[in-house]
């Protein structure tokens, strides 16, 4: 029986009840006139009462039945990172249309900025009004491990297991989390793409200063001194407003902690061991943090980083380079070359992409890699069709088309997709450099893999705060290190 029909029956029952009550009063009046015997009156009253009670109970029963009827929306609600260019959004919209046509279901797709989406997701969780699926690059590092721990995500192992052999080991490691509610470790996110940090710079400005890419040193100290020298040379050529290094010094940019984590890696500073235990009480680790903070902030103090870098948000290091306010900047995606793709001369000749230099020890750099992944919420009313969508997204053909169409800001995580020469073609100076790092270089994930508590360290941007305190408040690297260490200890203590 349809809900509409049940509602009509309920309404009819209530109306009949009211009519009966009215007739009941009418009978009472008439009984005085025609002097119905008390016996007859009692019998009529009894019959009418039974009818009224029956109608009332039927009304309550049907109301409860309607409220308890299960509802299953056939419209998936998906929240996704808004792209840095229109191609990214259009590529996903086309993928969604293809799935809708194939499945017969619908998707309500919403885009939010990289800064906004993690916060909006957490508000939705607190309000109990989560979407079905979220894909947020920041959330994957900052909140996903904790959501998995708290049992708020759906295990998607049934999607990944049949095709796990085509994923990189790092991708699978990055989405494997422990569920403390169900007491199990499983895949709680579907890897979509990956990113790591590279150096982007202006080749034509190097040429103007009398140098070429081959002149850039490979050793640690020589590499960074080179960019300071370039600033000095360019400023003698009437470019007084250019800075050598685009290092974020702010609390508001995830780029700050990403770059600083890479500097810690360069100095072989291990914060969390393979068992998820903090190593901050080790004097060598503390000194490594102090040295890394001192090294990172000295360029700002020396005037080789823009003064407004203390206020940068995630897009601002990109803007500073593209506006030629800085000569070089580290960045975690290919969004900078993606922004100039429509200008072939700038893309292929003027803009350059290089890897980090060797570590101060002389060893090759091990790059930090993070993965963008989609998660399905346990409170989703549409888990079956949501998994169908994720299964469609996980097909190599689907993801390859999507990544190509989206402007190649991110790189693949599947072996079959990497086999396409499109990604490794040396004619593309940016994509091929990034591919070389991820395919042939040494990489590692963030410490969130060892312990979900570390995601709070990233979310609260503990390193960004320490760096900003040195740059703005003038505290010493030792003070900043001790503050950061104490904050991290508190985070881990509260999490246990």
């Amino acid at each position: 029986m349809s809900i509409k029909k049940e509602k009509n029956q309920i309404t009819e029952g209530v109306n009949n009840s009211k009519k009966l009550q009215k007739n009941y009063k009418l009978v009472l009046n008439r009984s005085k006139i025609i002097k119905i015997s008390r016996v007859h009156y009692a019998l009529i009253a009894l019959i009418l009462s039974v009818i009224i009670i029956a109608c009332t109970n039927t009304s309550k029963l049907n109301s409860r039945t309607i409220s308890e009827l299960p509802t299953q929306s056939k419209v998936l609600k998906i929240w996704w990172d808004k792209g840095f260019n229109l191609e990214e959004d259009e590529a996903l919209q086309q993928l969604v249309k293809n799935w809708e046509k194939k499945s017969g279901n619908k998707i309500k797709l919403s885009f939010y900025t990289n800064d906004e989406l993690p916060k909006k997701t957490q508000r939705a969780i607190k309000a109990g009004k989560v979407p079905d699926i979220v894909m947020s690059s920041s959330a994957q590092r900052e909140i996903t491990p904790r959501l998995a721990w708290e049992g708020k995500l759906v295990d998607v192992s049934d999607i990944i297991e049949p095709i796990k052999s085509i994923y990189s080991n790092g991708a699978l490691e990055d989405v494997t989390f422990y569920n403390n509610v169900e007491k199990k470790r499983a895949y709680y996110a579907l890897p979509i793409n990956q990113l790591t940090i590279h150096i982007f710079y202006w080749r034509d400005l190097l040429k103007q200063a009398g140098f070429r890419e081959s002149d850039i040193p490979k050793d640690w100290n020589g590499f960074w001194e080179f960019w300071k020298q370039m600033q000095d040379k360019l400023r003698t050529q009437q470019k007084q407003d250019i800075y050598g290094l685009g290092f974020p010094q702010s609390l508001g940019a995830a780029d700050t902690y990403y770059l600083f984590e890479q500097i810690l890696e360069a100095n072989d500073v291990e914060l969390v061991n393979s068992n998820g235990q903090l190593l901050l009480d080790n004097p060598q680790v503390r000194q490594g943090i102090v040295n890394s903070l001192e090294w990172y902030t000295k360029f700002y103090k020396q005037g080789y980083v823009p003064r407004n870098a203390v206020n940068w948000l995630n897009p601002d290091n990109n803007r500073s380079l593209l506006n030629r306010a800085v000569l070089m900047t580290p960045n975690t995606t290919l969004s900078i070359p993606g922004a100039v793709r429509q200008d072939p001369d700038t893309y292929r000749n003027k803009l350059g992409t290089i890897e980090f230099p060797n570590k101060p020890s002389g060893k090759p750099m091990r790059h930090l890699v993070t993965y963008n992944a989609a998660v399905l919420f346990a409170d989703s009313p549409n888990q079956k069709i949501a998994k169908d969508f994720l299964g469609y997204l996980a097909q190599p053909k689907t993801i390859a088309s999507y990544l190509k169409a989206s402007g190649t800001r991110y790189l693949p995580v599947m072996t079959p997709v990497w086999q396409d020469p499109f990604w490794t073609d040396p004619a593309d100076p940016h994509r091929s450099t990034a591919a070389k790092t991820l395919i042939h270089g040494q990489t590692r994930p963030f410490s969130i893999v060892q312990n979900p508590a570390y995601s709070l360290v990233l979310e609260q941007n503990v390193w960004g705060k320490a760096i900003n305190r040195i740059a703005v408040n003038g505290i010493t690297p030792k003070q900043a290190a001790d503050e950061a260490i104490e904050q991290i200890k508190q985070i881990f203590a509260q999490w246990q």
Side-chain angles (χ1 to χ4, degrees):
M1 183 181 294
S2 69
I3 292 176
K4 182 176 180 182
K5 189 172 182 181
E6 287 195 36
K7 286 184 176 179
N8 290 338
Q9 288 185 355
I10 291 170
T11 303
E12 183 178 353
V14 172
N15 291 337
N16 288 339
S17 174
K18 291 179 179 179
K19 290 179 181 179
L20 287 169
Q21 292 178 38
K22 184 176 180 181
N23 291 338
Y24 175 73
K25 292 179 181 179
L26 183 61
V27 169
L28 290 179
N29 292 333
R30 289 181 177 177
S31 66
K32 294 178 182 179
I33 298 173
I34 61 177
K35 298 180 179 179
I36 299 177
S37 69
R38 289 185 177 181
V39 175
H40 290 168
Y41 168 76
L43 181 60
I44 293 172
L46 178 60
I47 294 171
L48 290 175
S49 297
V50 170
I51 294 173
I52 291 169
I53 291 170
C55 289
T56 302
N57 287 341
T58 301
S59 172
K60 291 180 179 178
L61 176 62
N62 286 337
S63 294
R64 186 166 60 251
T65 302
I66 289 173
S67 67
E68 292 176 356
L69 284 175
T71 58
Q72 178 86 358
S73 170
K74 295 301 180 183
V75 178
L76 276 182
K77 183 186 287 188
I78 298 179
W79 293 354
W80 206 273
D81 269 345
K82 182 168 180 57
F84 273 34
N85 57 65
L86 189 60
E87 292 171 305
E88 290 184 60
D89 296 345
E90 290 177 340
L92 184 64
Q93 287 167 342
Q94 184 59 54
L95 186 153
V96 164
K97 288 179 182 178
N98 294 342
W99 179 81
E100 286 178 331
K101 184 177 180 181
K102 174 180 176 293
S103 69
N105 294 305
K106 294 294 181 181
I107 287 177
K108 182 180 180 182
L109 178 62
S110 301
F111 293 105
Y112 300 96
T113 66
N114 185 264
D115 295 316
E116 180 184 14
L117 186 48
K119 297 174 184 176
K120 183 174 179 63
T121 300
Q122 294 195 78
R123 289 195 299 268
I125 292 169
K126 289 180 180 178
K129 296 181 179 179
V130 296
D132 297 291
I133 293 171
V134 165
M135 203 300 293
S136 165
S137 58
S138 293
Q140 177 63 17
R141 297 188 299 272
E142 298 173 12
I143 62 175
T144 296
R146 303 196 309 277
L147 295 179
W149 174 275
E150 294 166 356
K152 294 179 180 178
L153 300 180
V154 173
D155 180 353
V156 293
S157 299
D158 53 338
I159 298 174
I160 294 178
E161 283 290 347
I163 56 173
K164 65 183 295 183
S165 62
I166 68 174
Y167 283 105
S168 68
N169 291 333
L172 295 179
E173 185 180 20
D174 204 68
V175 298
T176 304
F177 300 112
Y178 186 75
N179 183 327
N180 195 45
V181 177
E182 298 184 10
K183 306 298 181 185
K184 70 174 186 177
R185 195 168 182 84
Y187 300 123
Y188 283 98
L190 180 74
I192 306 298
N193 49 52
Q194 62 180 318
L195 56 145
T196 191
I197 196 165
H198 285 88
I199 306 292
F200 301 92
Y201 72 99
W202 288 115
R203 282 176 169 170
D204 59 324
L205 290 181
L206 250 65
K207 184 177 180 180
Q208 184 176 323
F211 292 86
R212 296 172 297 177
E213 182 173 315
S214 58
D215 296 319
I216 302 174
K218 303 297 183 184
D219 68 284
W220 184 258
N221 290 329
F223 181 87
W224 301 108
E225 287 297 318
F226 177 82
W227 304 105
K228 293 170 59 177
Q229 295 169 14
M230 289 305 99
Q231 174 179 318
D232 295 340
K233 283 183 175 293
L234 290 169
R235 287 197 172 187
T236 63
Q237 299 175 1
Q238 307 303 316
K239 289 189 174 294
Q240 299 298 321
D241 56 349
I242 197 166
Y243 290 86
L245 301 159
F247 279 19
Q249 310 281 313
S250 62
L251 181 59
D255 288 306
T256 310
Y257 74 65
Y258 203 129
L259 176 55
F260 186 72
E261 290 269 348
Q262 189 65 59
I263 302 307
L264 289 173
E265 169 61 33
N267 290 313
D268 296 318
V269 180
E270 184 181 7
L271 305 176
V272 182
N273 66 18
S274 59
N275 295 321
Q277 297 171 322
L278 275 179
L279 304 175
L280 298 180
D281 288 329
N282 185 323
Q284 290 183 338
V285 173
R286 177 186 176 276
Q287 190 58 50
I289 294 172
V290 173
N291 293 343
S292 297
L293 285 170
E294 184 175 14
W295 182 92
Y296 190 103
T297 54
K298 73 178 181 180
F299 300 105
Y300 182 82
K301 292 179 179 180
Q302 292 170 353
Y304 290 101
V305 175
R307 307 313 294 170
N308 65 350
V310 295
N311 299 315
W312 279 359
L313 298 176
N314 283 324
D316 289 323
N317 63 326
N318 294 41
R319 293 194 186 105
S320 295
L321 186 81
L322 293 171
N323 292 334
R324 292 176 177 258
V326 296
L327 176 59
M328 68 86 86
T329 189
N331 199 51
T332 57
T333 71
L334 294 179
S335 56
I336 289 175
V340 297
R341 286 177 67 239
Q342 304 308 318
D343 182 347
D345 182 45
T346 299
Y347 185 82
R348 295 187 179 277
N349 302 316
K350 294 181 179 179
L351 184 67
T353 301
I354 54 174
E355 295 179 288
F356 269 69
N358 292 330
K359 292 183 175 185
S361 65
K363 296 179 181 179
M365 177 63 76
R366 185 169 63 159
H367 289 75
L368 269 79
V369 177
T370 189
Y371 299 83
N372 292 335
V375 298
L376 169 59
F377 285 94
D379 287 342
S380 164
N382 302 302
Q383 291 185 22
K384 184 176 180 180
I385 57 175
K387 281 195 171 184
D388 181 80
F389 173 77
L390 292 178
Y392 173 75
L393 184 59
Q395 296 175 18
K397 184 178 179 180
T398 302
I399 202 69
S401 298
Y402 165 63
L403 291 176
K404 275 188 176 183
S406 64
T408 64
R409 177 182 168 203
Y410 299 109
L411 294 145
V413 293
M414 293 178 169
T415 304
V417 182
W418 275 121
Q419 291 172 354
D420 185 341
F422 170 84
W423 300 102
T424 55
D425 183 0
D428 188 303
H430 313 291
R431 212 162 44 234
S432 60
T433 300
K436 178 185 175 183
T437 302
L438 292 170
I439 296 173
H440 303 293
Q442 299 181 47
T443 62
R444 76 164 178 86
F446 280 83
S447 297
I448 58 172
V449 171
Q450 283 78 36
N451 195 316
Y454 201 80
S455 64
L456 275 167
V457 177
L458 301 182
E459 182 188 15
Q460 296 178 21
N461 206 344
V462 173
W463 301 125
K465 182 179 180 181
I467 290 165
N468 194 257
R469 290 265 289 146
I470 296 170
V472 176
N473 302 116
I475 69 171
T476 67
K478 288 184 178 180
Q479 288 176 303
D482 288 339
E483 288 179 1
I485 288 170
E486 182 59 29
Q487 187 177 351
I488 294 172
K489 285 182 175 181
Q490 289 177 3
I491 288 171
F492 271 66
Q494 292 169 0
W495 183 254
Q496 300 305 328

